[in-house]
Amino acid sequence: MHLLNADLHSHSSVSDGTLSPEALAARAHAQGVQLWALTDHDELGGQHRARAAAHALGLAVLHGVEISVTFAGETVHIVGLGVDPDDDALLQGLAATRGGREQRARAMAAGLAAVGIPGAFEGALRYVGNPDLISRTHFARFLVDSGVCPDTHSVFRRYLTEGHPGFVPHRWARLGDAVRWITGAGGVAVIAHPARYRFSPTAEYALFTEFIAHGGRGVEVMTGSHSHAEQLRYADTALEFGLLASRGSDFHAPGESRTELGALPDLPGRLQPVWEALAHRIQHPPAAPALTGPA
Ligand code: AMP
Ligand code: MN
Ligand code: MN
Ligand code: MN
């Protein structure tokens, strides 16, 4: 059976996590993860480091990425698992997706300055590990550490979501493009944390059907973003649409993330785990050297 501790969604300092790919690999291993994917936002720059560090610990990996998409006016995240991290079309698509982030961040800072919070662009930049990938998370950490809010969730609630002063609408990749970049790179596309989107039932149905029409094959059922009721609901959705099921903590930072690496419940047994369909894409650690050598 699939009682494998797979954690197929996590972030390093190459996007908006705080740990290096090496430190994240070590933490995943220490938490009992047996199959790990680093899925930085719109970026594959940590993949080779993550694999090397994981393999040194005997930990198997799937290469991964989490692509920001705009669908029906909402931001949707599509995780790609088992991708080739050196695929040209995927790399180009991700570079284009990252492209507007700096300008957006400057506009966010202007919105915050207008409500009496100056210097947020420079402040957020101090938390950024990859200058190409300044995100709302970095603003949130700056606003917590400078005493504006007690925790990152309240920063998002008060400043960084729609209708609040630091929110700037942004156009990300198209759904079909993201799915094709992933499948073209040998991977499987997975809808990340579906319960997080504020879609009507009609719009959610459109997301799933269009995603499948473009070649998408999976959905996250077990994620740090889902309540128990949402886990059950999206288990049913996976069956209804014939989708593979994924499991991933969405870990970003010690003390900040709600769910620890490797700590989610197993997938319900009636679902087909996405990693079984990706067996041929798993990067296994090199075999341990034989104990008996030449005499
Ligand atoms: P961005 O790609 O710059 O729009 O930033 C999105 C990131 O912000 C997500 O990947 C999460 O890491 C983080 N995020 C979004 N909403 C929240 C929230 N309500 N609380 C904490 N972090 C959030
Ligand atoms: Mn994030
Ligand atoms: Mn996400
Ligand atoms: Mn994520």
Side-chain angles (χ1 to χ4, degrees):
M1 268 312 289
H2 61 77
L3 298 177
L4 175 79
N5 193 340
D7 191 327
L8 303 183
H9 190 148
S10 61
H11 297 274
S12 76
S13 52
V14 172
S15 66
D16 62 347
T18 60
L19 301 181
S20 65
E22 290 81 5
L24 201 61
R27 192 177 181 103
H29 181 253
Q31 295 293 335
V33 173
Q34 295 166 293
L35 175 63
W36 172 53
L38 171 65
T39 54
D40 278 315
H41 296 285
D42 307 321
E43 175 64 271
L44 291 162
Q47 293 300 311
H48 289 282
R49 289 168 61 189
R51 183 177 66 194
H55 283 184
L57 296 162
L59 173 61
V61 307
L62 280 165
H63 286 302
V65 67
E66 181 175 19
I67 305 183
S68 312
V69 159
T70 301
F71 180 83
E74 276 276 332
T75 298
V76 167
H77 286 169
I78 301 296
V79 165
L81 296 174
V83 294
D84 170 1
D86 302 309
D87 182 85
D88 280 332
L90 176 59
L91 287 165
Q92 280 175 33
L94 297 178
T97 305
R98 290 193 299 270
R101 277 188 180 266
E102 179 177 335
Q103 216 185 353
R104 168 193 186 233
R106 290 188 187 278
M108 288 169 61
L112 291 169
V115 295
I117 305 170
F121 180 78
E122 295 73 17
L125 261 192
R126 293 208 298 271
Y127 294 80
V128 165
N130 172 359
D132 242 18
L133 219 123
I134 180 164
S135 92
R136 285 186 292 164
T137 315
H138 302 112
F139 280 84
R141 292 191 184 123
F142 167 66
L143 293 186
V144 170
D145 290 347
S146 53
V148 175
C149 288
D151 55 66
T152 53
H153 288 285
S154 50
V155 182
F156 274 87
R157 202 167 53 243
R158 285 166 55 186
Y159 293 104
L160 301 183
T161 44
E162 197 161 353
H164 300 283
F167 181 77
V168 174
H170 193 74
R171 235 197 128 73
W172 302 105
R174 288 191 296 196
L175 177 66
D177 289 339
V179 172
R180 279 185 292 276
W181 297 333
I182 291 165
T183 52
V188 166
V190 174
I191 297 177
H193 43 62
R196 284 242 305 254
Y197 313 126
R198 295 164 308 162
F199 284 133
S200 66
T202 312
E204 185 181 76
Y205 184 82
L207 170 66
F208 276 80
T209 51
E210 289 189 35
F211 171 75
I212 290 166
H214 289 301
R217 292 178 59 202
V219 61
E220 281 184 351
V221 172
M222 291 298 172
T223 134
S225 298
H226 283 181
S227 66
H228 181 66
E230 289 162 348
Q231 292 165 0
L232 297 176
R233 182 166 146 222
Y234 286 98
D236 287 344
T237 306
L239 289 176
E240 178 189 339
F241 286 95
L243 290 167
L244 301 163
S246 194
R247 174 181 188 265
S249 59
D250 206 357
F251 184 86
H252 282 69
E256 185 182 296
S257 291
R258 272 181 288 185
T259 305
E260 183 53 78
L261 286 154
L264 287 165
D266 285 316
L267 286 176
R270 60 204 165 104
L271 301 182
Q272 193 191 349
V274 67
W275 56 89
E276 289 185 1
L278 281 165
H280 61 297
R281 303 294 294 171
I282 295 176
Q283 311 284 316
H284 292 281
L291 289 175
T292 51

